[in-house]
Amino acid sequence: MTILQTRRRFLASAASAAALGGLSTLLPALIPGAVRPAWAAAPLRLAVERRVLEVMGKPASVFGIRQPDGTSGLFLDPGQRFLVDLANRAGEDAVIHWHGMTPPYAQDGVADANRPLIRDGASQGYDFEPRPGTHWMHSHHGFQEQRLMAAPLIVRTVEDRREDAQEVTVLLHDFTFKDPAEVLAGLTGGTMDHGDMNHGGGHGGGHGGAMPMMNHSMDMKGMGDMKGMGGMTMAAMDLNDVEYDAYLANDRTFDDPEVVRVERGGRVRLRLINGATSTAFHIELGALDGTVVAADGNPVQPVTGRRFGMVMGQRLDILVRLPDEGGAFPVLAQREGERQRTGIILATPGATVNKVAGLADGAAGPVDLSLERRLTALASLAPRPTDAAFTIRLTGGMAPYVWTIDDRPFGEHRPLTVLKGQRVTVTMVNESPMAHPMHLHGQHFQVAALNGTALAGAVRDTVLVPMNGSATIAFDADNPGRWPLHCHNLLHMATGMMTELVCEQTI
Ligand SMILES: [Cu+2]
């Protein structure tokens, strides 16, 4: 729509946000391109659209976030500003969260009392300095994320440019032909009122077999992976709530995978994004040795291996070197607790590309903290005393299907309130029967303790809190606003596992 309309929306939101006291000082950041001088760079254009995706031979109506040339998401070069005009052509209201960015509060891409949804047919401008690294963008409204309203958001650094590695970005997803609201209704027994979560309406593309998986059966062939679970039995483990119809890597399954042409002896920087709504994956590199060099876009001390866990919302940058003799090398993502897998194939010129089965021989174990424990930030937080320490409990469960924080669903939550400039720690203690990938908006944090053991872990924005476990995160609150802190399992967030970090501006 027109700039005028967009600008009017901004002004309207400014008026309502003025009631927020200290936060109203943030509002100048909202002003979009209307005040930009004529010589400034033109905004990059992105549109939220509907599209038809063929999954296992069946068409499905899904969303996409694309540039005019069809590129999914954004790839910014060093020094480039996040100057974006986002058009909503989804056929319904939407809002896109820039996951991993640390923009001013008003531009985070979450609708709340101060920040309206982008109406169908309207546009919104964004202008902030992007945070380097492998990030992504996704709807933060209703169940749109389940219907693939998600895309990569890559911000390259000068060092990335120098390292002479081919960039290969992989966005993972879990896919259902069902209306996501039906999937949740199957879990809750349809007893909960989720009217406000269901903006999807009818879902084209047939009637697939996504069924709520209440019995959590697991393939026992995976027992070999279960070592180190502290004697926990399989029956006590609760890994996956939903049986999906497919698992996607860049929108494709192993029926018809993406084959990326790479050089013999060449180096590849895999930018892996777990964009699934409810699925943790094990990344399997097969014959290739990988070196993790960044977590959630932040550099880490290099960690080598061939198998790395990734929970929902997380990103890993992994460097691999192709052998001089070349060949075809699948990069696999296997669903935790199960045999299903997806992925892409790296292939050198002339290599024979064999079919990769969509089911692994054995089930994978759970994604745990084994990688997290090995990660160390290249740039740790400066040592200083903590000004504000919080402990929250991750609560709720399967029956009824309600997930909460401190036994309170979002809406009845108690925000964690801090002042700008404070050193903050938040210890998340998991008292619920599932693991939760916890994501904080607005700032990245350092993982400061896992299960009570202190460490100078990765700086990141999403951390796994395993069942019976805990994680402590630390950060300097430097970004005023009301920032969601939530589980990145969409179904858990939808039923209530979300609170807010309120960072108040001091004068
Ligand atoms: Cu959760």
Side-chain angles (χ1 to χ4, degrees):
M1 282 271 177
T2 66
I3 285 176
L4 266 179
Q5 200 161 2
T6 302
R7 188 163 160 73
R8 205 156 49 230
R9 295 258 329 279
F10 273 121
L11 294 175
S13 75
S16 63
L20 250 172
L23 293 180
S24 63
T25 55
L26 306 170
L27 289 165
L30 272 168
I31 302 303
V35 295
R36 197 176 300 122
W39 45 263
L44 300 164
R45 286 162 57 210
L46 274 179
V48 184
E49 300 169 319
R50 287 177 182 272
R51 62 194 175 114
V52 174
L53 179 67
E54 193 167 287
V55 182
M56 299 177 304
K58 285 194 339 190
S61 171
V62 299
F63 295 110
I65 312 172
R66 295 186 290 198
Q67 299 179 40
D69 69 358
T71 302
S72 177
L74 276 184
F75 296 77
L76 301 181
D77 282 321
Q80 201 175 353
R81 204 157 163 85
F82 190 98
L83 180 58
V84 171
D85 185 65
L86 177 69
N88 180 6
R89 295 198 284 267
E92 57 191 77
D93 298 348
V95 68
I96 301 300
H97 167 52
W98 316 111
H99 186 132
M101 296 293 105
T102 48
Y105 160 69
Q107 301 191 55
D108 187 42
V110 178
D112 63 17
N114 312 302
R115 304 174 293 184
L117 291 166
I118 308 172
R119 297 289 168 209
D120 179 34
S123 294
Q124 185 131 324
Y126 301 85
D127 186 358
F128 58 86
E129 188 173 335
R131 190 177 176 107
T134 300
H135 305 294
W136 61 304
M137 58 183 78
H138 62 83
S139 168
H140 219 283
H141 178 58
F143 296 110
Q144 290 168 340
E145 182 193 338
Q146 178 70 79
R147 298 175 65 204
L148 309 190
M149 199 183 282
L153 170 47
I154 307 300
V155 182
R156 299 167 179 132
T157 64
V158 173
E159 293 74 32
D160 295 344
R161 284 294 197 203
R162 283 202 203 107
E163 77 187 353
D164 188 31
Q166 182 179 344
E167 179 181 86
V168 176
T169 301
V170 183
L171 176 64
L172 301 168
H173 223 292
D174 43 21
F175 173 82
T176 173
F177 284 104
K178 271 201 168 182
D179 185 323
E182 276 179 50
V183 175
L184 180 60
L187 288 163
T188 61
T191 54
M192 291 186 62
D193 176 14
H194 286 285
D196 63 329
M197 294 301 298
N198 181 10
H199 295 268
H203 191 294
H207 305 282
M211 294 296 290
M213 196 175 77
M214 300 299 289
N215 60 356
H216 307 285
S217 61
M218 288 176 64
D219 188 326
M220 291 315 209
K221 280 189 282 186
M223 288 299 280
D225 291 325
M226 300 297 291
K227 288 174 192 143
M229 284 306 296
M232 195 178 292
T233 66
M234 295 293 267
M237 292 204 53
D238 189 353
L239 297 178
N240 294 298
D241 289 346
V242 175
E243 277 302 324
Y244 285 94
D245 292 315
Y247 299 87
L248 307 179
N250 293 343
D251 287 341
R252 293 159 80 162
T253 68
F254 272 131
D255 285 352
D256 175 31
E258 182 178 11
V259 178
V260 180
R261 180 54 50 90
V262 294
E263 292 171 33
R264 291 187 186 90
R267 277 164 33 104
V268 168
R269 184 188 191 100
L270 294 167
R271 294 183 180 272
L272 307 174
I273 304 161
N274 186 349
T277 57
S278 188
T279 303
F281 290 103
H282 296 276
I283 304 303
E284 299 271 1
L285 299 177
L288 298 175
D289 289 314
T291 303
V292 175
V293 292
D296 298 350
N298 302 283
V300 292
Q301 304 281 0
V303 168
T304 57
R306 293 183 171 182
R307 189 167 192 267
F308 306 99
M310 273 180 95
V311 295
M312 299 79 96
Q314 289 185 330
R315 289 84 69 206
L316 286 178
D317 285 33
I318 303 178
L319 288 176
V320 297
R321 187 180 170 281
L322 282 306
D324 293 335
E325 62 273 24
F329 302 91
V331 175
L332 304 162
Q334 186 173 348
R335 180 190 185 205
E336 72 169 339
E338 299 289 340
R339 295 172 59 200
Q340 292 102 328
R341 63 187 180 185
T342 185
I344 62 156
I345 300 173
L346 305 175
T348 58
T352 303
V353 178
N354 294 318
K355 188 158 176 63
V356 178
L359 286 178
D361 289 340
V367 169
D368 59 18
L369 293 173
S370 53
L371 174 61
E372 197 69 60
R373 282 195 192 92
R374 296 174 67 197
L375 296 178
T376 303
L378 273 196
S380 279
L381 284 178
R384 61 175 274 201
T386 298
D387 301 304
F390 299 90
T391 298
I392 61 175
R393 296 176 301 116
L394 309 182
T395 46
M398 294 297 293
Y401 191 87
V402 179
W403 302 91
T404 48
I405 291 175
D406 291 331
D407 296 311
R408 292 163 177 264
F410 187 70
E412 298 168 22
H413 63 289
R414 286 180 293 220
L416 314 179
T417 301
V418 302
L419 295 176
K420 185 183 179 195
Q422 286 188 320
R423 168 65 55 88
V424 181
T425 65
V426 181
T427 297
M428 297 175 281
V429 180
N430 190 350
E431 297 182 355
S432 82
M434 282 189 85
H436 303 285
M438 298 300 294
H439 171 49
L440 176 62
H441 292 221
Q443 42 259 300
H444 287 229
F445 51 75
Q446 184 163 24
V447 178
L450 293 169
N451 295 341
T453 301
L455 73 163
V459 171
R460 62 189 321 163
D461 59 42
T462 307
V463 68
L464 171 68
V465 187
M467 195 166 72
N468 298 323
S470 68
T472 299
I473 61 174
F475 56 94
D476 292 326
D478 57 4
N479 198 0
R482 302 187 73 92
W483 301 108
L485 169 61
H486 65 87
C487 177
H488 222 286
N489 182 319
L490 182 64
L491 300 165
H492 293 190
M493 182 175 74
T495 60
M497 191 175 265
M498 175 155 67
T499 185
E500 288 173 299
L501 175 88
V502 176
C503 176
E504 291 183 341
Q505 177 105 35
T506 48
I507 304 303

